[in-house]
Amino acid sequence: MDLSLRDIAYCKGVGTKRADILRKELGVHTALDLLRNYPYKYTDRSRFYRIADIENEDTSVQIRGRILEWHTLGVGKGQRLSATFSDGAHTIELVWFQGIQYVKLAKDTEYLLFGKPTRFNHEYNFVHPDLTPMSKVTPEMTQGFEPDYNTTDKMKRAGLHSKGLRTIIASLIPELKQGVNETIGLDIRTKYHLMSLTDALVNVHFPKDTPSMHKARERLKFEELFYAQLQLMRQLKQREQNPGYLMPVVGRSFHHFYEHCLPFELTNAQKRVIREIQADLKSGHQMNRLLQGDVGSGKTLVALLCALLAKDNGYQTCIMVPTEILAAQHMETLSHLLRDTDVHVALLTGSTTRKQREPLHAALRSGETDILIGTHALLEEEVQFANLGLCIIDEQHRFGVAQRSRLWYKNELCPHILVMTATPIPRTLAMTVYGDLHTSIIDELPPGRKPVLTLHYSNQRRATVNQFIEQQIGMGRQIYVVYPLIKENENLDLADLQNGYDTLRQTFPQYSISMVHGQMKAKDKEEQMQRFASGQTQILVATTVIEVGVNVPNASVMIIENAERFGLSQLHQLRGRVGRGADQSYCLLLTRLELTKDTRKRMDTMVATNDGFKIAEADLQLRGPGDLEGTQQSGQVLDFKIANLATDGQLTEVARHAVEDVLQDDPLLESDWNRVYKQRLDILRLTSKSWQGIS
Ligand code: ADP
Ligand code: MG
């Protein structure tokens, strides 16, 4: 019988009660589901250890030997059984705390001991090891690799520990060997040297040797990546067919601005990216494009030029940003750049008053407003456009996909979508996280930028840091001091910030200091920012509210307090606030003296490079893809069972190529084998949570 149809309850050794637990804890409903529950590691049962070989607590080991003597210690609950086990050369202690009465030991028997060593008082021992008399050891027990499975407490209580699962899965293997429905066509398997699904499932659980384990895992990883890419690329192809507003004209607004208002020559990268976007705008199909560019690479100007293109074709643009500060900043930048034009820009945020809104809404509906900048407030029902043609979403990782898709309902046709992000992510990860978008990259900074010099100090060097602050302000520069703000502990963090502010005021009574944090009223925040931006204050003390987008070219020093509490991409974003003017800029990372290995690596990476992509790569290695900034809310396919985007980048590329080939020949997946792909995609879509989030 087809294993994908066999209810898990009817598998040997399961039954209704355990089936319930498997469904709830693992989402396992059928025999095939259980076979798809892969081991997270293996123990090499073909290797026999000697006691002297034991060197860590991570690896289960097996040793042949005899029990020399045993005795019980303590009384009542504290009672335990201790035995001395010898492999002929050395001895090691075995300990039992529970079920002592059931432990049967004999002196004249040779045993096979199996278990994980524990370190106690500088010595290793075994707690509750498995002991099997050698006379009862079957050849299978000491062959190949033994799989270990993730389990939960609930599962363990029902006997569904790793060993229990192993027994159930082992009993399914004979049937499995008769074959399961293949999910990857023979042409692709041949081309990329992949195992059949049947072989892969047998060998992922019970590999006979190391190469077959690797081949099995590779095949299963490939399958996951292949279907993820297939899903994403099909979506991309379907979207490419969406009708979109036609914007073929490069007209007066664009030309006038380009020739008379542009404060500097565009970089080649900016020019290239604008050409790519322009091609989308005149294609007649809806644009879905991601614009990646490191902090300071000049994305704002690109956004503005695109908005002008839209205007020249009779369409409005909205620019959505994550914070009010950033919205205000964009408003100021754009108004300034557009001061000698007839382009109308408006600002709408949560703190726009009802009275201000009425004329604003009217100007939007009449089409008088060309560009609307704002926060989430843009998404409200009452905000209606005359002719919204382009949506630009800045710093996208703050917005979920659901919000992105809501923008689409503002008009008859989906407007063109341009997502801008300053969080570089490695290419192979981008392929998955943003696999449903076309990508443009600004890979060049405006000329004349001096790289920011990054230094790492421990808190004990505060005197040096203060001297440095004094010297820089003396040269006319301004300084950011940033404190981490972590949601769970907001009050404590704000206290940190307040302390820092007070200390700075005492240390530098001669300077003016601004302070900004997320709990302030928008108006106060803006006033404080304004004082800093206009040079009235020399120091800005802030939480990470300033992380995104703030632009004060005269501020050339970024001091990050408790830098150990920030992730790499956040540190990089913060550092991007400086280095925007002509002066040498600095980023000072302050941490405590004692650091964990990971923290040290993060600080070293920051000191070593300014390259956002290198930093993203390091971040990926340190934290794994799920925790990366930019991926958390992407709602994309990241819940892989066996593939790992941090380490399987190359295989992701291979899978992508395979998918490209398939879709090239048969975009609708109608031919024989491709119908199988299509069916499986439908099943995956129904059963996977994260796939449902895709808009
Ligand atoms: P980001 O990509 O981080 O949003 P911005 O758009 O804020 O970067 O640009 C950073 C700074 O670089 C701004 O002060 C902007 O005026 C300036 N800038 C942008 N493009 C150029 C250019 N081609 N040449 C010189 N300066 C530029
Ligand atoms: Mg920006």
Side-chain angles (χ1 to χ4, degrees):
M1 182 183 173
D2 187 344
L3 289 173
S4 68
L5 297 177
R6 163 103 53 88
D7 191 317
I8 189 66
Y10 301 115
C11 296
K12 196 170 164 210
V14 182
T16 48
K17 214 177 119 210
R18 283 179 162 186
D20 247 8
I21 292 170
L22 286 171
R23 274 192 286 266
K24 284 201 188 101
E25 300 293 292
L26 295 183
V28 163
H29 295 265
T30 67
L32 188 62
D33 288 347
L34 188 61
L35 290 164
R36 289 276 192 185
N37 178 56
Y38 311 126
Y40 72 95
K41 72 175 185 63
Y42 303 85
T43 305
D44 184 355
R45 291 298 309 240
S46 64
R47 173 167 176 194
F48 287 86
Y49 279 70
R50 285 166 312 177
I51 289 169
D53 295 336
I54 294 175
E55 53 188 14
N56 63 51
E57 293 181 305
D58 302 331
T59 319
S60 296
V61 300
Q62 60 186 352
I63 309 173
R64 290 169 72 143
R66 293 172 189 276
I67 308 275
L68 301 184
E69 57 86 29
W70 63 87
H71 52 273
T72 50
L73 294 159
V75 286
K77 275 200 172 154
Q79 199 177 40
R80 65 180 202 272
L81 171 64
S82 163
T84 307
F85 183 83
S86 162
D87 65 1
H90 296 86
T91 62
I92 193 165
E93 188 190 11
L94 315 183
V95 191
W96 286 265
F97 298 100
Q98 282 155 14
I100 293 174
Q101 61 273 33
Y102 304 114
V103 181
K104 297 272 176 287
L105 299 174
K107 278 196 183 159
D108 48 1
T109 310
E110 194 188 17
Y111 288 102
L112 180 67
L113 176 151
F114 183 76
K116 234 188 215 175
T118 345
R119 206 166 157 80
F120 181 71
N121 276 345
H122 306 294
E123 290 203 38
Y124 287 108
N125 63 21
F126 285 99
V127 179
H128 291 200
D130 276 355
L131 283 178
T132 315
M134 276 315 288
S135 57
K136 298 214 172 119
V137 171
T138 58
E140 289 82 51
M141 282 175 68
T142 57
Q143 255 174 23
F145 292 81
E146 196 166 83
D148 275 309
Y149 300 93
N150 282 316
T151 56
T152 63
D153 283 344
K154 267 204 189 115
M155 289 170 63
K156 281 186 192 130
R157 265 180 261 130
L160 293 168
H161 34 61
S162 204
K163 195 172 173 182
L165 286 174
R166 203 182 299 146
T167 314
I168 299 170
I169 292 171
S171 73
L172 290 170
I173 295 291
E175 276 172 279
L176 173 61
K177 281 184 175 157
Q178 292 164 23
V180 286
N181 292 332
E182 181 54 69
T183 55
I184 302 279
L186 185 61
D187 51 342
I188 295 182
R189 274 186 284 137
T190 313
K191 182 163 177 189
Y192 298 105
H193 311 287
L194 299 168
M195 270 186 179
S196 70
L197 179 58
T198 304
D199 287 349
L201 286 176
V202 172
N203 282 288
V204 77
H205 293 289
F206 302 105
K208 59 177 187 304
D209 50 28
T210 314
S212 52
M213 184 226 295
H214 286 312
K215 286 303 279 180
R217 296 184 71 84
E218 186 186 81
R219 141 79 211 214
L220 296 168
K221 286 175 177 190
F222 178 91
E223 179 187 298
E224 272 186 346
L225 295 166
F226 176 85
Y227 276 97
Q229 289 302 324
L230 190 60
Q231 161 83 2
L232 291 163
M233 298 229 357
R234 264 187 91 208
Q235 201 151 32
L236 187 71
K237 291 241 183 286
Q238 277 163 4
R239 288 230 192 104
E240 278 172 2
Q241 300 311 311
N242 285 354
Y245 295 113
L246 204 57
M247 304 189 185
V249 179
V250 183
R252 198 179 57 82
S253 304
F254 188 92
H255 283 305
H256 174 76
F257 182 83
Y258 204 93
E259 277 145 35
H260 303 292
C261 312
L262 203 58
F264 24 62
E265 176 80 4
L266 292 183
T267 62
N268 286 329
Q270 284 170 318
K271 286 182 193 161
R272 173 175 39 77
V273 162
I274 289 168
R275 276 198 303 275
E276 287 166 2
I277 294 168
Q278 222 180 329
D280 287 353
L281 295 182
K282 62 183 182 197
S283 70
H285 296 293
Q286 189 217 358
M287 170 171 78
N288 277 284
R289 188 167 284 278
L290 172 75
L291 176 57
Q292 274 201 74
D294 213 340
V295 272
S297 61
K299 294 185 292 295
T300 314
L301 209 53
V302 171
L304 174 57
L305 285 162
C306 294
L308 294 179
L309 281 175
K311 177 176 162 62
D312 281 341
N313 289 276
Y315 293 98
Q316 294 166 297
T317 298
C318 72
I319 302 180
M320 190 159 96
V321 301
T323 65
E324 295 203 358
I325 291 185
L326 188 53
Q329 177 111 41
H330 272 327
M331 180 65 189
E332 203 190 300
T333 311
L334 295 201
S335 315
H336 184 71
L337 287 166
L338 294 167
R339 64 194 179 281
D340 296 328
T341 69
D342 59 358
V343 182
H344 291 264
V345 193
L347 176 70
L348 178 69
T349 67
S351 42
T352 309
T353 61
R354 197 122 289 281
K355 229 172 102 202
Q356 293 166 322
R357 277 178 191 237
E358 270 164 34
L360 204 146
H361 287 166
L364 271 179
R365 275 195 306 268
S366 72
E368 189 192 328
T369 303
D370 300 304
I371 304 175
L372 179 65
I373 301 170
T375 53
H376 289 82
L378 294 185
L379 296 170
E380 288 159 16
E381 209 67 51
E382 52 179 27
V383 182
Q384 296 293 334
F385 293 79
N387 211 351
L388 178 64
L390 172 63
C391 281
I392 299 175
I393 306 178
D394 197 2
E395 314 295 356
Q396 182 261 355
H397 61 272
R398 300 301 160 108
F399 294 109
V401 173
Q403 286 167 332
R404 203 196 313 164
S405 60
R406 271 182 67 187
L407 278 170
W408 296 355
Y409 298 112
K410 292 251 163 213
N411 233 339
E412 217 172 302
L413 282 184
C414 288
H416 296 295
I417 306 269
L418 180 68
V419 175
M420 305 200 293
T421 171
T423 311
I425 55 177
R427 203 185 107 74
T428 49
L429 185 57
M431 248 191 254
T432 309
V433 179
Y434 298 119
D436 60 339
L437 299 172
H438 291 286
T439 307
S440 291
I441 300 182
I442 308 185
D443 49 7
E444 179 187 358
L445 291 180
R449 295 274 172 82
K450 294 199 184 89
V452 179
L453 198 62
T454 303
L455 304 162
H456 171 208
Y457 289 112
S458 83
N459 287 327
Q460 292 168 342
R461 305 275 306 277
R462 203 156 281 277
T464 314
V465 174
N466 285 340
Q467 246 172 12
F468 183 74
I469 295 180
E470 183 133 26
Q471 179 213 345
Q472 288 291 311
I473 297 181
M475 291 164 63
R477 305 285 107 76
Q478 287 166 284
I479 307 222
Y480 293 106
V481 182
V482 178
Y483 286 82
L485 187 65
I486 294 167
K487 277 232 173 56
E488 298 86 70
N489 212 342
E490 232 160 298
N491 290 336
L492 210 77
D493 288 326
L494 282 182
D496 265 9
L497 181 77
Q498 187 67 48
N499 276 340
Y501 176 71
D502 293 344
T503 312
L504 279 168
R505 285 187 47 168
Q506 279 160 22
T507 321
F508 301 111
Q510 69 275 38
Y511 301 140
S512 309
I513 307 179
S514 299
M515 178 161 81
V516 187
H517 58 78
Q519 292 188 355
M520 283 163 77
K521 286 213 190 78
K523 208 172 120 267
D524 299 340
K525 249 191 276 186
E526 192 172 330
E527 190 190 313
Q528 292 287 321
M529 286 300 303
Q530 206 46 54
R531 272 162 38 92
F532 185 69
S534 65
Q536 287 175 57
T537 58
Q538 288 79 45
I539 303 177
L540 175 69
V541 182
T543 54
T544 37
V545 289
I546 69 150
E547 184 188 337
V548 232
V550 172
N551 191 17
V552 182
N554 190 51
S556 63
V557 181
M558 168 63 65
I559 298 178
I560 306 177
E561 298 277 351
N562 303 322
E564 63 268 40
R565 284 169 63 185
F566 289 101
L568 262 178
S569 76
Q570 233 182 345
L571 290 171
H572 181 63
Q573 288 287 316
L574 285 169
R575 179 168 60 183
R577 298 307 109 210
V578 298
R580 300 187 155 224
D583 314 299
Q584 176 62 56
S585 293
Y586 302 88
C587 174
L588 271 50
L589 307 169
L590 298 183
T591 64
R592 49 184 141 71
L593 191 58
E594 298 279 322
L595 296 179
T596 63
K597 215 170 89 197
D598 274 10
T599 309
R600 178 149 302 280
K601 178 97 204 291
R602 261 182 291 148
M603 299 306 133
D604 290 350
T605 306
M606 285 296 292
V607 171
T609 181
N610 275 301
D611 181 333
F613 282 94
K614 283 196 186 134
I615 286 172
E617 189 63 52
D619 207 14
L620 180 60
Q621 301 309 331
L622 279 171
R623 290 204 290 174
D627 290 329
L628 278 200
E629 200 94 10
T631 64
Q632 285 141 344
Q633 292 172 29
S634 72
Q636 301 294 22
V637 201
L638 287 173
D639 65 338
F640 293 115
K641 272 186 182 166
I642 187 165
N644 176 349
L645 291 177
T647 46
D648 296 327
Q650 225 173 348
L651 201 58
T652 310
E653 301 242 18
V654 174
R656 177 93 168 184
H657 284 308
V659 167
E660 273 165 5
D661 286 347
V662 169
L663 290 177
Q664 175 91 38
D665 299 340
D666 179 18
L668 298 177
L669 299 179
E670 284 171 327
S671 77
D672 276 357
W673 242 99
N674 297 344
R675 273 208 302 275
V676 174
Y677 295 146
K678 198 166 157 187
Q679 277 164 13
R680 184 162 170 79
L681 271 187
D682 289 339
I683 295 171
L684 288 173
R685 219 191 335 253
L686 284 176
T687 52
S688 160
K689 256 192 294 175
S690 66
W691 285 32
Q692 286 162 11
I694 295 178
S695 55

